[in-house]
Amino acid sequence: MRTCHHCGGEVVLAAALQRTDSCGRCFSDLKVCLNCRFYDASAPNQCREPEVDPVVDKHKANFCEFFEYRESPGAGRAGSRVAGSDQDRARAAFDSLFKK
């Protein structure tokens, strides 16, 4: 399942993703680093693709030729909204470590 980096809504594309495509729910750009499977905040230039040119604004549409939409698991979704934030999932994982 593809989701929007901004609102968490499900993204359904009839054709290949274009640079100008936006989320039908919040109108955020879709071809952005934050939606790419290579995006990694801890990697150099925040990208795991070694040949990529640096992108300054990770929230804006770009011309990256290595872009591949990040697929998210469909489980844990409620409607078109993400069922929990990253912080909630991290807290749940932390709490499960110390469960009695």
Side-chain angles (χ1 to χ4, degrees), residues 9-50:
E10 183 177 356
V11 175
V12 179
L13 299 170
L17 181 68
Q18 302 297 312
R19 181 184 169 275
T20 56
D21 288 341
S22 60
C23 175
R25 187 169 184 213
C26 70
F27 306 105
S28 294
D29 292 333
L30 292 176
K31 188 174 180 186
V32 299
C33 294
L34 297 175
N35 281 334
C36 183
R37 76 177 194 95
F38 294 114
Y39 177 76
D40 182 354
S42 63
N45 295 322
Q46 296 180 328
C47 186
R48 288 179 302 199
E49 175 55 53

Side-chain angles (χ1 to χ4, degrees), residues 48-87:
R48 288 179 302 199
E49 175 55 53
E51 296 180 26
V52 73
D53 292 328
V55 175
V56 177
D57 194 349
K58 308 292 186 204
H59 295 87
K60 298 287 183 179
N62 59 60
F63 293 98
C64 181
E65 57 197 41
F66 297 102
F67 180 86
E68 291 182 27
Y69 213 104
R70 180 185 70 237
E71 296 289 333
S72 303
R77 305 276 176 208
S80 62
R81 183 76 177 149
V82 175
S85 69
D86 289 339
Q87 185 177 9

